[in-house]
Amino acid sequence: MRHPFLAVITAVAIGTASVPAQTAIQLQSNPSVVPLKNNSEMQKIFLDDQFDRGNNPYAKPGDPQPKALDGKLIRVNDDAREIRVHTLLDTGEITAATDYFRAALIFQHAGTSDGYLLAHILAEVAVAKGDSSALWLSAATLDRYLINIHQKQVFGTQFAAQPALDTKSPDVWSQQDFDKTTLGDALRAEFCVAPLAAQQKGLPGPPVGTGLSPCPAKDKMKAQQK
């Protein structure tokens, strides 16, 4: 499954500082706590993944984006990246929240149920280590895993492209199998996922400006409950 908003997901990684919010609080209360250092190789793997897809997450507004590679070549590169990230994980070289976030993005492109499940677990670890920008990714990877094992998604993050009726029109994106009853909007908001009504208006990518700040979906839900 390929989605155009995968590139947008990486934008939240920019807002993930080397010292997550939770860790920053720990540092204030306990100066002896030393933040974990990001892995430079994991960052390069993450950037290679994004450049292959025609996205430079660190580009400034107006800067040209790299040219996306052919899908078959991307798949070859993805397979090699997954093997290397597995090694980094197995040898304990991935420790920081941001690196777990980036590793989750790599396996979100796996194309297999095992890869999607691992991506979900990695995103959950990133959240546990204080990276709130991984909340949406945690939801998206779970949805992708469920669809891959022929179950219905529960957050509603996954869409599939339907070819347009003519070559001049853009593809039409429709929500894949979706169980709308398991989770309510309040719980979706906890994962920075847009409410059902907003999802029906089009292809919802990850929320803008999550990073270390509260997610907009959660803030909006709280406002509605007052």
Side-chain angles (χ1 to χ4, degrees):
M1 279 183 290
R2 301 293 180 193
H3 298 274
F5 59 81
L6 287 182
V8 185
I9 297 176
T10 63
V12 296
I14 301 174
T16 305
S18 59
V19 182
Q22 181 177 336
T23 305
I25 294 173
Q26 292 173 342
L27 285 172
Q28 291 176 1
S29 59
N30 184 1
S32 65
V33 175
V34 178
L36 297 173
K37 185 178 180 180
N38 294 337
N39 184 292
S40 58
E41 184 180 0
M42 187 64 245
Q43 180 178 16
K44 183 181 184 304
I45 293 172
F46 156 73
L47 289 174
D48 288 345
D49 170 275
Q50 292 305 299
F51 271 68
D52 280 6
R53 290 168 167 79
N55 175 57
N56 176 7
Y58 296 106
K60 297 178 181 178
D63 285 351
Q65 289 287 347
K67 184 178 180 181
L69 301 183
D70 175 76
K72 291 183 179 179
L73 181 55
I74 292 177
R75 182 69 263 161
V76 171
N77 291 345
D78 281 349
D79 290 342
R81 280 188 284 264
E82 289 167 25
I83 291 172
R84 182 54 187 161
V85 175
H86 260 301
T87 299
L88 293 175
L89 289 166
D90 292 343
T91 55
E93 296 178 66
I94 300 298
T95 56
T98 301
D99 289 331
Y100 276 103
F101 177 96
R102 290 168 174 165
L105 283 169
I106 298 302
F107 286 103
Q108 188 181 341
H109 298 150
T112 64
S113 57
D114 288 349
Y116 298 148
L117 182 58
L118 177 57
H120 175 65
I121 293 170
L122 294 171
E124 287 287 292
V125 175
V127 171
K129 285 178 171 285
D131 187 353
S132 62
S133 64
L135 281 166
W136 188 92
L137 184 58
S138 172
T141 50
L142 177 60
D143 275 350
R144 188 162 293 193
Y145 169 72
L146 289 170
I147 289 173
N148 195 258
I149 62 172
H150 308 294
Q151 300 295 317
K152 293 183 178 181
Q153 61 176 320
V154 293
F155 284 99
T157 61
Q158 302 300 294
F159 285 66
Q162 306 297 327
L165 297 178
D166 59 81
T167 57
K168 295 182 180 179
S169 301
D171 290 341
V172 177
W173 289 85
S174 60
Q175 213 164 22
Q176 293 180 272
D177 283 350
F178 184 14
D179 176 0
K180 301 177 182 178
T181 62
T182 298
L183 306 178
D185 282 347
L187 190 51
R188 288 189 183 90
E190 293 290 341
F191 286 82
C192 300
V193 176
L196 288 177
Q199 291 178 359
Q200 306 311 308
K201 295 179 181 179
L203 176 65
V208 177
T210 51
L212 300 178
S213 62
C215 60
K218 191 172 181 179
D219 286 349
K220 186 174 182 180
M221 180 59 64
K222 287 182 178 179
Q224 293 173 348
Q225 293 173 343
K226 290 182 179 179

